[in-house]
Amino acid sequence: MERVNRRTTLKLMGLGAALLAAGSRGFAQQTPTADQLVKGKHAKLIVLSQRPIVLETPFDLLASQPERTPKELLYVRNNVDLPGYNTVEGAGLEGWTLEVGGLVDKPFTVEAKELLALPQHEVTMVLQCSGNGRSLYQPRPSGNPWGRGGVGNVTFRGVRLKDLLAAKGAKPTEKALFITAHASRQGNAAEFVRSVPIHALEEALLALSMNGEPLPAVHGGPVRLVFPGYFGVNNVKWVAKVEFTEGENTTAEQMPRYRVPTIPNTHLPFLPQEPGGRYPYTFANSRPNWLVNVNSFIFAPLEGQTVEGPYVRVEGVAFNDGIVPIVSVEVSTNGGRTWHQATLERTGRSYGWVRWRTTLYLRPGEHQVMARAWDAAGRSQPLDGNLAWNERGYEYNGVMRVKFTVA
Ligand SMILES: Nc1nc2c(c(=O)[nH]1)N[C@H]1C(S)=C(S)[C@@H](COP(=O)(O)O)O[C@H]1N2
Ligand SMILES: [Mo]
């Protein structure tokens, strides 16, 4: 009797545990949608992670806004969430302070609202996660499995860091080789810190607005330090402290994360890695994801579409680090054997993406179109993006291929 009872009880307990597990699994399956995670975001953004919040823009939605990416659609990448900032609405400037220190002759603290009284400057730039395109690497590296939607083209407006320094009569000392920006810290959450080379001071902007509206809280409002031409990770949201330093910061976001292998003590593009292999990242044998590499996307036709022929409009965008202009975008419909020049919307260097378009004459049936951008420094995109395979899956810029049908 005793035994049976015990067994029955155990069985029941087991059943209860199973029900509980099923219940919680069922609950976890109901992943909140992007608009539930971040107020004002488009519900169709892909939730790559809930905590920290990581949202990818579906490629068709990205392509639907080739001029500028609206705040509702812009991807979100938090490494460290800032509670209370999960909205596309602006965040109050009142009470927000910014400390400027380190290797500067006159350290100071400024009230964020004082920035409104200084000369405002505007820059349109590509904001792109260095993990964008990661899921195209084979084998799949660790990290959020981004498709190609960890990117956007946005206009930031605010005060140049160098103008703020001048207004305060402060100058970095000769020893200062890096700008190290710290995000505001919440409780015992990890610190978010990034360092960029001191010459980035020329364009560094303390952004207060985006696309003509107060900088959305989820995108770093009230104040974000942006570096046009640099990968997303360097654009520190909710910036609280800017330090001039002799070396790169040593927190995980600077080493070993957000780096790619390189020839020791150089900043050459890549040290080729065996796909699937491991790499012992050090400061000397790797470089940070700093300058954005040349890239292009095909916005039309979209993968799987059926379009009218025989004249088919092919279009998209191209960009680089903005140091030299994008000089050409070529398209191929024969796997890269021959290329055809597309027309660029404008010439000249730019931190924002440039639109391109061309018309192809194509027979009815299935086609694959490829696009490849070149810049004035002779830099381009590899036909095989996997050549740059790296353990953490950064800086993918392989030529994009789109399969579609001509009716
Ligand atoms: N404070 C802070 N700044 C940050 C991050 C973060 O987690 N915290 N993530 C970085 C990374 S990896 C990227 S790609 C961009 C993403 O910017 P977004 O969320 O505005 O699109 O912000 C960067 N700045
Ligand atoms: Mo990122």
Side-chain angles (χ1 to χ4, degrees):
M1 259 323 244
E2 173 67 26
R3 253 187 101 160
V4 172
N5 272 344
R6 233 187 122 229
R7 260 161 92 185
T8 314
T9 315
L10 283 174
K11 244 187 187 158
L12 283 171
M13 279 170 66
L15 186 65
L19 277 172
L20 267 175
S24 63
R25 242 198 326 271
F27 183 72
Q29 263 167 11
Q30 287 176 355
T31 306
T33 50
D35 56 320
Q36 288 168 334
L37 289 168
V38 180
K39 194 168 159 250
K41 281 290 169 187
H42 194 294
K44 290 218 171 100
L45 262 53
I46 304 155
V47 180
L48 294 182
S49 161
Q50 293 179 49
R51 197 179 305 162
I53 296 174
V54 184
L55 309 175
E56 172 168 0
T57 314
F59 197 78
D60 57 331
L61 291 182
L62 184 73
S64 73
Q65 302 287 338
E67 209 55 61
R68 210 163 56 169
T69 312
K71 63 180 180 187
E72 295 78 14
L73 291 184
L74 184 62
Y75 82 98
V76 175
R77 200 314 183 213
N78 282 353
N79 285 273
V80 186
D81 288 318
L82 195 59
Y85 284 68
N86 300 332
T87 170
V88 300
E89 267 147 48
L93 279 176
E94 198 60 48
W96 193 276
T97 58
L98 177 68
E99 208 183 309
V100 178
L103 300 171
V104 60
D105 55 2
K106 236 181 86 187
F108 62 91
T109 298
V110 63
E111 295 273 332
K113 61 181 179 194
E114 283 180 55
L115 296 173
L116 295 172
L118 292 171
Q120 306 289 306
H121 182 82
E122 199 170 273
V123 62
T124 295
M125 61 179 258
V126 170
L127 186 68
Q128 181 183 223
C129 184
S130 38
N132 196 31
R134 175 179 289 139
S135 64
L136 296 154
Y137 280 123
Q138 294 296 333
R140 187 80 63 86
S142 62
N144 290 296
W146 294 101
R148 276 189 153 109
V151 62
N153 196 48
V154 290
T155 302
F156 287 113
R157 188 181 165 84
V159 176
R160 279 183 157 155
L161 180 57
K162 66 172 185 185
D163 290 349
L164 173 64
L165 289 168
K168 295 285 178 186
K171 251 210 257 67
T173 70
E174 305 250 294
K175 281 205 170 134
L177 295 179
F178 296 91
I179 306 173
T180 298
H182 302 246
S184 172
R185 241 183 133 163
Q186 291 274 313
N188 37 18
E191 237 198 327
F192 185 87
V193 191
R194 273 296 283 188
S195 302
V196 300
I198 187 75
H199 52 80
L201 180 57
E202 214 32 55
E203 300 278 331
L205 188 74
L206 290 160
L208 302 167
S209 89
M210 189 181 90
N211 297 348
E213 288 182 89
L215 180 59
V218 72
H219 294 298
V223 193
R224 178 176 197 167
L225 183 57
V226 298
F227 296 98
Y230 284 73
F231 273 112
V233 64
N234 304 290
N235 299 281
V236 176
K237 309 197 265 192
W238 316 301
V239 66
K241 188 163 85 180
V242 178
E243 282 187 307
F244 292 91
T245 57
E246 212 173 337
E248 290 179 54
N249 193 265
T250 55
T251 55
E253 260 71 40
Q254 194 80 18
M255 233 302 283
R257 303 187 64 211
Y258 296 105
R259 301 182 83 83
V260 291
T262 190
I263 316 242
N265 303 310
T266 71
H267 275 185
L268 290 173
F270 271 96
L271 177 64
Q273 257 193 299
E274 195 54 54
R278 303 298 302 264
Y279 193 76
Y281 292 84
T282 65
F283 277 106
N285 72 12
S286 64
R287 62 160 177 81
N289 300 142
W290 277 335
L291 295 173
V292 172
N293 49 0
V294 182
N295 216 336
S296 64
F297 304 126
I298 299 167
F299 279 175
L302 290 171
E303 181 73 28
Q305 262 182 348
T306 297
V307 298
E308 290 302 315
Y311 296 101
V312 177
R313 166 66 67 90
V314 179
E315 60 180 82
V317 295
F319 55 91
N320 65 352
D321 52 19
I323 291 174
V324 296
I326 292 288
V327 287
S328 115
V329 173
E330 311 168 307
V331 298
S332 174
T333 51
N334 56 19
R337 274 176 303 213
T338 58
W339 296 86
H340 170 86
Q341 290 282 336
T343 306
L344 298 181
E345 174 193 42
R346 56 188 157 75
T347 54
R349 63 189 200 97
S350 148
Y351 297 113
W353 64 37
V354 55
R355 295 180 68 179
W356 55 264
R357 63 169 55 101
T358 190
T359 302
L360 300 176
Y361 181 89
L362 296 171
R363 281 174 281 106
E366 287 185 5
H367 292 273
Q368 179 182 254
V369 65
M370 299 156 74
R372 175 168 77 176
W374 291 88
D375 76 10
R379 299 176 297 184
S380 186
Q381 307 174 242
L383 292 184
D384 175 7
N386 222 44
L387 289 174
W389 193 96
N390 60 103
E391 195 178 319
R392 292 167 188 274
Y394 293 126
E395 302 191 8
Y396 186 92
N397 73 336
V399 160
M400 185 170 172
R401 295 167 159 81
V402 172
K403 285 200 181 105
F404 64 99
T405 303
V406 175

